[in-house]
Amino acid sequence: MSETQTRPAPTGRPLLLMRDIRKEFPGVRALDGVSLSVGHGSVHALMGENGAGKSTLMKVLSGVHPAGSYDGEILVDGDPCAFAGVADSERAGIAIIHQELALVPQLSVGENIFLGHERARRGVVDWGATHAEARALLRRVGLDEAPTTPVSALSVGAQQLVEIAKALAKRVRLLILDEPTSALTEVESDRLLDLLLGLRDEGVTCILISHKLGEVVRVSDEITILRDGRAVETLAVERGEDGTPSVDEDRIIRGMVGRDLDQRYPERVGEIGGTRFEVRDWTVAHPTQPGRLMVDGVGLTVRRGEVVGLAGLMGAGRTEFAMNLFGRSYGRRVRGSLTKDGEELDTGTVAAAIRGGVAYVPEDRKTLGLILDDDIRHNTTMAALDRVSSRGVLDPGLEAVEAARMSERMRVRSHGTTQAVRTLSGGNQQKVVLGKWLFTRPELLILDEPTRGIDVGAKYEIYLIVRRLAAEGACVLFISSELPELLGMCDRILTLCEGRITGEVPGEEADQETLMRLMTRTGDQDRTDPRSPR
């Protein structure tokens, strides 16, 4: 354990004090008298189930919800603050990095860092100063990239570091990070967390929202738990001489859900039958780079009632395989076949895949899974309109009944199926996506990062749904970056590296070390497209 990780929590007058914050939206009270105190030079975690009010509280603090739209008081360094917008909070040294990054892909790293507060002389951008200051900030966050590099060329992890550099350029005193590691690899997450600890020791206070309990325990000085719009407790994290924290994951879970979760994963029920689906030699070329194979000869089987895991590091080809299998939604299929009950199945279009009993829940629910401005009802039924239509004409009454039934089955927390999906919490949005594809009555359900960015309680509910589907005889292909999740949910786990299957382990025999070894195994086979010129 590093010296920064064993540092005791700061004391003295808090940098931030929020008193009795109340915020309402039409029909719902999002914050109900929340108070929060954050000390100077600390990492303070905000925990809670989806919809508990974490992001809303931080939007109040950062001016996204301006003064006058909420009740309560905010004090920064003892001074009352009423932010009319984000610009006001930034002038007070507060910056927020949202889960959806606010970068312009077409602009360079340096341009993004100083966007809105450009380094200029007499109204003309001073590129020398821009690049010099950007280089210094990039060194500070540990990113080895030129300021002229387009943001679109960076990984998600590198873009997170650019966002932090952008905040530091504004002389931030309080940095708010909302799910900063949800789309990062394990290595990228570790680097980001180490950076937060370094910034803390430089005097920058951080508020961290995360559903990854291990991360929170590792870096936090204090943890405030929200439940149903109220702050229920704040836990001080003390560390022993060996670095062991005084707060563990089970203690946090108990505070979040109001009860103990004796098991993180539900027990298997039902029997596994014979092989239902089989993929042979599935090979996919990159959509814009001729000759580059993203998936190379993948073969696998899924039995009736079985949950098969697919593990791999970022870039291994998991999502590319799933999306191409489901209606050629990514890249170009070079070769391969999919059979159901021994007969070849056409999945050449999304419509054909759905007719064949295949459904795909994408990893990016907001971009690929939902129409955010539309309501729960339409999002639920859009993939199977024939089930709520008569002679090609939509039956609104039947649609409302079926959407309500599926919403109840998924335990979506809402004011009704006419509520816009964008107003739901992340966990409830994920349940709507899952319900949308379950409404198609799939026989093979492909889940791509189905619990990304949602809390432990909502995760468990999704795990129960998956287990129930398997018990009813459905086949499930479960893709996840979280190895404990795969170990807890899957009957078999296949590993993928550089587009190839590198191993297969029965669920009861698998462990993280074995999976990681297989996930990093590479071969020397030719990876070029056999249809491309040599």
Side-chain angles (χ1 to χ4, degrees):
M1 195 71 66
S2 71
E3 189 173 310
T4 57
Q5 289 168 302
T6 59
R7 170 183 171 279
T11 58
R13 187 178 72 178
L15 171 65
L16 170 70
L17 187 58
M18 303 181 76
R19 289 177 178 157
D20 199 27
I21 303 296
R22 301 175 186 272
K23 171 68 178 174
E24 294 190 4
F25 297 102
V28 62
R29 178 171 290 177
L31 299 173
D32 189 7
V34 174
S35 295
L36 176 68
S37 176
V38 180
H40 286 267
S42 66
V43 176
H44 195 115
L46 273 186
M47 302 294 292
E49 295 188 85
N50 288 104
K54 307 180 299 296
S55 294
T56 301
L57 185 66
M58 291 300 96
K59 288 178 179 178
V60 166
L61 173 58
S62 61
V64 175
H65 297 317
S69 68
Y70 61 88
D71 295 322
E73 185 179 22
I74 299 174
L75 294 91
V76 177
D77 251 347
D79 297 325
C81 297
F83 302 131
V86 174
D88 277 359
S89 68
E90 288 180 348
R91 280 191 287 270
I94 299 171
I96 184 169
I97 298 176
H98 298 281
Q99 190 172 353
E100 291 79 29
L101 302 181
L103 298 173
V104 182
Q106 296 82 6
L107 297 183
S108 70
V109 169
E111 289 170 321
N112 270 279
I113 288 175
F114 295 108
L115 187 63
H117 56 116
E118 290 77 8
R119 298 301 184 255
R121 290 183 178 179
R122 297 178 182 177
V124 178
V125 173
D126 185 339
W127 291 112
T130 297
H131 293 156
E133 291 187 43
R135 273 190 291 270
L137 289 165
L138 294 174
R139 281 196 299 270
R140 189 176 174 190
V141 300
L143 182 58
D144 185 20
E145 289 287 349
T148 54
T149 303
V151 162
S152 59
L154 302 181
S155 68
V156 176
Q159 290 183 29
Q160 284 279 12
L161 297 179
V162 172
E163 279 276 25
I164 294 175
K166 182 178 174 181
L168 295 176
K170 300 170 184 174
R171 291 176 170 78
V172 64
R173 292 191 293 162
L174 176 59
L175 180 62
I176 306 163
L177 300 106
D178 191 350
E179 295 290 349
T181 64
S182 62
L184 304 189
T185 65
E186 189 172 343
V187 172
E188 288 174 327
S189 296
D190 285 342
R191 289 175 181 165
L192 181 59
L193 295 175
D194 286 339
L195 174 60
L196 294 190
L197 292 171
L199 291 174
R200 177 193 69 178
D201 290 346
E202 293 176 14
V204 177
T205 299
C206 299
I207 296 178
L208 173 66
I209 299 175
S210 177
H211 291 303
K212 296 185 178 181
L213 302 180
E215 294 180 354
V216 169
V217 170
R218 172 185 162 187
V219 302
S220 300
D221 298 306
E222 289 187 302
I223 302 169
T224 293
I225 297 174
L226 271 62
R227 192 191 315 148
D228 298 327
R230 298 182 178 93
V232 295
E233 60 182 329
T234 294
L235 307 173
V237 183
E238 300 175 353
R239 304 182 192 278
E241 292 183 0
D242 62 351
T244 303
S246 59
V247 176
D248 61 15
E249 295 183 19
D250 289 338
R251 177 66 183 85
I252 298 172
I253 291 172
R254 190 161 63 248
M256 288 171 58
V257 302
R259 64 189 188 279
D260 288 314
L261 283 182
D262 296 328
Q263 292 182 321
R264 300 280 185 92
Y265 305 97
E267 293 184 4
R268 155 167 285 288
V269 291
E271 298 295 326
I272 296 176
T275 297
R276 189 85 201 278
F277 289 87
E278 182 174 6
V279 178
R280 297 192 188 102
D281 196 26
W282 204 271
T283 302
V284 179
H286 191 280
T288 61
Q289 299 177 23
R292 181 184 176 191
L293 296 184
M294 303 303 293
V295 180
D296 192 357
V298 165
L300 57 86
T301 60
V302 188
R303 294 176 288 176
R304 188 185 301 271
E306 185 180 33
V307 180
V308 176
L310 196 57
L313 301 175
M314 190 170 289
R318 299 167 303 167
T319 294
E320 292 82 356
F321 165 68
M323 291 184 69
N324 188 268
L325 192 67
F326 183 69
R328 313 295 186 268
S329 303
Y330 170 89
R332 176 176 62 85
R333 190 188 72 152
V334 176
R335 58 177 181 268
S337 64
L338 170 65
T339 59
K340 180 173 74 171
D341 297 328
E343 297 193 5
E344 189 153 351
L345 189 65
D346 173 26
T347 60
T349 65
V350 170
I354 294 172
R355 284 196 300 271
V358 181
Y360 170 62
V361 177
E363 63 175 333
D364 186 346
R365 60 178 171 263
K366 292 190 175 181
T367 302
L368 300 177
L370 297 167
I371 299 176
L372 294 176
D373 287 332
D374 211 337
D375 59 28
I376 297 170
R377 176 186 51 190
H378 294 150
N379 273 280
T380 299
T381 61
M382 68 172 64
L385 289 175
D386 58 305
R387 290 195 55 203
V388 290
S389 299
S390 176
R391 298 180 181 179
V393 179
L394 183 70
D395 183 337
L398 179 59
E399 182 187 38
V401 169
E402 292 292 345
R405 183 178 293 137
M406 181 58 71
S407 186
E408 183 178 356
R409 180 184 176 188
M410 294 293 103
R411 297 180 66 182
V412 177
R413 295 173 184 166
S414 69
H415 311 309
T417 58
T418 57
Q419 183 175 345
V421 169
R422 60 179 168 76
T423 64
L424 300 176
S425 68
N428 285 302
Q429 288 180 356
Q430 189 68 10
K431 291 177 187 177
V432 173
V433 178
L434 189 54
K436 163 187 169 180
W437 289 110
L438 293 188
F439 190 64
T440 67
R441 297 174 177 170
E443 297 165 278
L444 173 62
L445 179 64
I446 305 172
L447 301 171
D448 195 351
E449 304 286 3
T451 64
R452 172 171 288 171
I454 63 176
D455 65 79
V456 65
K459 282 184 179 183
Y460 191 79
E461 291 181 355
I462 288 176
Y463 296 151
L464 285 172
I465 293 166
V466 173
R467 282 289 187 217
R468 185 169 66 240
L469 285 171
E472 293 170 356
C475 304
V476 180
L477 188 60
F478 197 108
I479 301 171
S480 177
S481 298
E482 297 188 29
L483 297 185
E485 183 170 71
L486 292 173
L487 294 171
M489 285 298 298
C490 299
D491 302 300
R492 279 187 297 132
I493 303 173
L494 305 178
T495 55
L496 202 66
C497 182
E498 295 184 352
R500 302 188 190 94
I501 298 291
T502 57
E504 178 178 330
V505 188
E508 65 271 13
E509 299 176 15
D511 56 50
Q512 292 195 49
E513 183 179 348
T514 299
L515 294 180
M516 186 59 71
R517 185 169 62 251
L518 293 171
M519 287 159 55
T520 54
R521 176 189 291 176
T522 58
D524 57 1
Q525 296 164 290
D526 187 359
R527 287 183 50 73
T528 57
D529 185 339
R531 297 184 184 179
S532 300
R534 301 280 177 169

